[in-house]
Amino acid sequence: MGQQQLEHFVFAAFAFAATVTAAEPVPAPLPEAPQLSLYTEHNPPLTYLSADSQKIEGLVFIIVDEMLKRANINYTIELLPWKRALSLTRRSPNTCLFAMDRTPDRENKFLWVSPLYEGRWAFFKRPDSPLELESLADIAPYQIATVSGYASANALQETGHERILNAGTNVDAVRLLFHGRVDLLLTGAVEIPYIAKEANTPLPLEALPFKNVSTSMGCSLDTDPDLMRKLQQINEEMTDFKRQVMGQATPTD
């Protein structure tokens, strides 16, 4: 092959390769699914570490997991003490904490997916207690156990009640009640049968309702707003699913 023929062949080969490349472009990589970092606490039946599977389970976990699956959002999850989880969520982007009660003092500190379910707080007494309460004014003489950092504890303080003993966990709080350190326990009505079981105490009796609350997922202010809108829309579409899941909770009545 002569020099001129060789040059013509090389040019033709490059032209052919360019044509193939133009006709069959390399597909762009698919965008990665968005990801959230999630925190929760040990608070049966809502969220807890299963002794059998060593995985996080619970009624509210089922709701959140389903919601994120429908939104095609990947996530990591870690179970931590409540106050630490609350602090980490506030200062970390694309990070959420559940199950968090949505209250006025928290409203502007987080972005919200709400409600996951409608809960309520109540005052509980020992089964042998003679206390009879008809209104919030009736709690004034009594020492009350709450959990430090919980919205219910903050709400009680806002009423001006001063005789409060803060515990580290719900289990610690119910033990304070049965050890006679306090007269009443303030906690969630859904949780109380599970708290008593874990603390190995009798089931406390409801003495007085306190407040209804929207139990929600709170996310840091640096979380993607488009992601939040998507999650809120899906959460609103899951009404029947959420009702079925929360219907599995043990009634307190």
Side-chain angles (χ1 to χ4, degrees):
M1 182 182 293
Q3 181 67 28
Q4 186 174 1
Q5 290 175 309
L6 178 60
E7 291 176 355
H8 178 75
F9 175 79
V10 171
F11 175 80
F14 274 110
F16 175 75
T19 301
V20 172
T21 302
E24 300 180 9
V26 177
L30 294 174
E32 291 185 7
Q35 178 160 315
L36 287 175
S37 297
L38 302 182
Y39 293 114
T40 191
E41 65 165 340
H42 179 79
N43 187 23
L46 308 181
T47 52
Y48 58 92
L49 186 68
S50 169
D52 296 328
S53 68
Q54 289 299 301
K55 294 181 179 179
I56 296 173
E57 299 180 0
L59 301 181
V60 175
F61 171 76
I62 292 171
I63 292 170
V64 171
D65 179 66
E66 176 66 18
M67 180 172 58
L68 294 175
K69 284 177 179 175
R70 295 188 188 192
N72 191 32
I73 295 173
N74 296 324
Y75 67 88
T76 60
I77 185 167
E78 188 173 359
L79 190 146
L80 294 173
W82 180 256
K83 293 181 79 170
R84 184 181 173 202
L86 197 65
S87 174
L88 286 172
T89 300
R90 288 196 63 184
R91 53 190 172 89
S92 306
N94 293 322
T95 301
C96 303
L97 171 61
F98 68 95
M100 190 193 306
D101 293 325
R102 186 173 183 175
T103 57
D105 63 308
R106 287 175 172 171
E107 183 65 30
N108 296 324
K109 298 175 182 177
F110 299 91
L111 302 177
W112 296 94
V113 179
S114 178
L116 300 178
Y117 79 95
E118 296 292 351
R120 65 185 184 91
W121 304 326
F123 297 98
F124 293 87
K125 64 181 182 178
R126 293 182 298 275
D128 60 352
S129 171
L131 296 183
E132 295 292 338
L133 308 177
E134 295 184 0
S135 71
L136 196 60
D138 293 338
I139 71 171
Y142 302 117
Q143 184 88 343
I144 300 174
T146 62
V147 177
S148 179
Y150 273 19
S152 54
N154 297 335
L156 180 59
Q157 290 174 343
E158 289 170 359
T159 69
H161 189 81
E162 295 182 352
R163 301 192 65 192
I164 299 172
L165 186 56
N166 282 318
T169 68
N170 269 321
V171 169
D172 293 335
V174 79
R175 285 174 177 162
L176 289 174
L177 179 67
F178 281 94
H179 289 165
R181 298 279 307 281
V182 298
D183 305 295
L184 296 164
L185 163 67
L186 175 60
T187 192
V190 169
E191 296 98 302
I192 192 66
Y194 301 86
I195 298 168
K197 181 178 180 180
E198 189 167 350
N200 196 28
T201 67
L203 178 65
L205 300 181
E206 184 169 332
L208 184 73
F210 184 33
K211 287 180 180 289
N212 295 329
V213 289
S214 292
T215 301
S216 310
M217 183 166 76
C219 303
S220 74
L221 297 178
D222 292 327
T223 302
D224 184 341
D226 291 334
L227 208 59
M228 295 301 300
R229 282 189 288 270
K230 183 177 184 180
L231 288 173
Q232 181 59 32
Q233 179 181 347
I234 292 173
N235 180 59
E236 292 171 3
E237 295 168 354
M238 290 175 57
T239 302
D240 290 342
F241 180 86
K242 292 187 291 183
R243 185 182 298 114
Q244 291 172 4
V245 170
M246 293 308 300
Q248 300 174 45
T250 301
T252 57
D253 301 329

